[in-house]
């Protein structure tokens, strides 16, 4: 049996029309939502990500500001820009694209962003609020994954969820959101012994490792929901995820494609977080 696809482009389109409606309502009250994006350095991947974020804002009626700096920008200068944007009333959401050049302390930068403008949800205050069950901003990728599960009416409560990958950006907050929704959650990492023994038990399998084909068909429980957060290139240079899609789709009940799965949802949830920040103001 071939799995059903969870179409991130289609779901994004639906969610973005709601974002546009809410942005227009705020704009009509003279409170157009605003997002500032800071990019330091010339990483081609980061350039694409920030361009897509700014374009998505424009398409949804959200004011956006993109500040690009050379890779040799000092940490002090970056912190000064963050401070200014923290105090800018036109800016409701502020993010610094990661990774940062090695001479800049990433944690220091994240903690400098006002927690109530931290639309990435990376600030320790927001991580703590999420962990204690009172989230302010949910990190965009895991938030998008939860929306995907909602879109198929998946009964998360009581399900076995396995998250492969334990990053601060995806794996850890994903586990928290699934736990909060009532799943029994296992977090696997690069040191996990016998990964397959865990993944085979998953009703919901979220894979976020950055390693192509880390999940193969024999590692998936028949009928499981498989969510692929990976973004890699195959030998032909084509975009692919962390899951062996061609074979896993014959076993899974639902699966997300790459591209067109989680990717568009991440930016969509950034827009949602920006709107939520503006509405709270
Ligand atoms: N780099 C990769 N993903 C992200 C993200 O979600 N936010 C930021 N700020 N940087 C990233």
């Amino acid at each position: 049996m071939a799995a059903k696809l969870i179409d991130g482009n289609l779901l994004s389109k639906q969610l973005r029309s709601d974002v546009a409606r809410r942005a227009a309502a705020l704009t009509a009250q003279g409170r157009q939502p605003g997002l500032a994006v800071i990019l330091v350095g010339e990483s081609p991947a980061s350039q694409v990500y920030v361009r897509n974020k700014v374009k998505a804002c424009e398409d949804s009626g959200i004011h956006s500001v993109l500040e690009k700096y050379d890779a040799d920008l000092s940490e002090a200068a970056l912190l000064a820009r963050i401070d200014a944007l923290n105090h800018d009333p036109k800016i409701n959401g502020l993010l610094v694209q990661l990774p940062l050049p090695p001479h800049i302390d990433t944690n220091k930068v994240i903690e400098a962003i006002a927690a109530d403008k931290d639309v990435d949800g990376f600030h320790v205050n927001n991580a703590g609020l999420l962990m204690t069950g009172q989230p302010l901003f949910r990190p965009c990728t895991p938030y998008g994954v939860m929306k995907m599960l909602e879109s198929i009416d998946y009964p998360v409560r009581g399900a076995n969820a396995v998250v492969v990958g334990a990053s601060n950006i995806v794996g850890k907050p994903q586990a928290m959101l699934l736990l909060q929704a009532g799943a029994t959650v296992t977090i696997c990492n690069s040191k996990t012994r016998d990964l397959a023994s865990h993944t085979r038990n998953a009703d919901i399998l979220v894979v976020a490792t950055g390693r192509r084909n880390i999940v193969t068909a024999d590692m998936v429980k028949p009928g499981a929901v498989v969510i692929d957060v990976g973004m890699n290139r195959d030998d032909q240079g084509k975009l692919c995820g962390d899951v062996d899609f061609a074979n896993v789709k014959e076993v899974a009940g639902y699966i997300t494609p790459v591209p067109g799965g989680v990717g568009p949802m991440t930016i969509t949830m950034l827009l949602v977080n920006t709107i939520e920040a503006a509405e709270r103001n």
Side-chain angles (χ1 to χ4, degrees):
M1 185 201 79
K4 290 187 182 132
L5 280 190
I6 308 178
D7 183 341
N9 283 321
L10 183 66
L11 182 55
S12 277
K13 214 168 144 186
Q14 293 160 1
L15 292 167
R16 286 186 198 195
S17 76
D18 182 57
V19 164
R21 185 187 55 73
R22 289 158 72 184
L26 287 162
T27 302
Q29 300 167 17
R31 302 161 54 208
Q32 185 184 24
L35 174 71
V37 177
I38 298 179
L39 173 64
V40 184
E42 284 84 36
S43 149
S46 291
Q47 304 249 19
V48 173
Y49 291 141
V50 299
R51 204 181 316 131
N52 289 343
K53 288 173 184 180
V54 169
K55 163 109 181 14
C57 285
E58 283 166 8
D59 293 346
S60 301
I62 294 173
H63 165 66
S64 67
V65 175
L66 173 57
E67 296 194 4
K68 286 188 180 183
Y69 297 101
D70 291 341
D72 63 359
L73 180 76
S74 73
E75 184 182 277
L78 177 56
L79 293 173
R81 277 314 298 152
I82 291 171
D83 187 55
L85 291 163
N86 280 344
H87 291 95
D88 183 338
K90 285 201 175 68
I91 296 302
N92 307 104
L94 166 57
L95 73 85
V96 178
Q97 188 66 25
L98 303 179
L100 284 166
H103 68 278
I104 296 178
D105 181 340
T106 300
N107 287 326
K108 201 163 159 186
V109 167
I110 292 172
E111 297 346 322
I113 295 170
D116 61 356
K117 294 192 178 186
D118 168 40
V119 282
D120 266 332
F122 295 166
H123 192 287
V124 285
N125 284 18
N126 287 319
L129 287 169
L130 176 63
M131 181 152 197
T132 53
Q134 13 168 20
L136 182 67
F137 292 110
R138 296 158 181 84
C140 302
T141 299
Y143 193 8
V145 169
M146 298 309 290
K147 288 285 174 194
M148 291 179 121
L149 293 171
E150 222 177 279
S151 76
I152 59 167
D153 274 329
Y154 194 84
V156 176
R157 207 177 142 119
N160 288 335
V162 175
V163 179
V164 186
S167 70
N168 290 335
I169 294 183
V170 183
K172 286 185 214 168
Q174 186 70 73
M176 285 302 143
L177 289 173
L178 287 162
L179 182 64
Q180 213 179 18
T184 301
V185 183
T186 302
I187 311 176
C188 298
N189 60 58
S190 57
K191 284 105 196 153
T192 296
R193 279 189 218 125
D194 195 2
L195 181 60
S197 70
H198 296 280
T199 59
R200 276 191 205 114
N201 194 36
D203 303 307
I204 301 167
L205 180 58
V206 181
V207 190
T209 65
R211 291 182 55 192
R212 175 153 70 100
N213 289 342
I214 193 166
V215 170
T216 49
D218 57 305
M219 297 167 71
V220 173
K221 178 171 167 175
V225 181
V226 178
I227 310 270
D228 191 348
V229 181
M231 280 265 248
N232 312 296
R233 297 267 170 196
D234 68 14
D235 296 334
Q236 283 76 48
K238 263 179 50 190
L239 214 54
C240 67
D242 291 353
V243 172
D244 175 10
F245 182 84
N247 294 306
V248 170
K249 78 170 165 37
E250 300 304 324
V251 179
Y254 288 91
I255 191 166
T256 63
V258 179
V262 174
M265 292 299 292
T266 296
I267 295 189
T268 298
M269 300 324 290
L270 175 66
L271 303 177
V272 170
N273 278 345
T274 303
I275 289 287
E276 288 178 1
E279 287 173 346
R280 252 181 236 131
N281 242 334

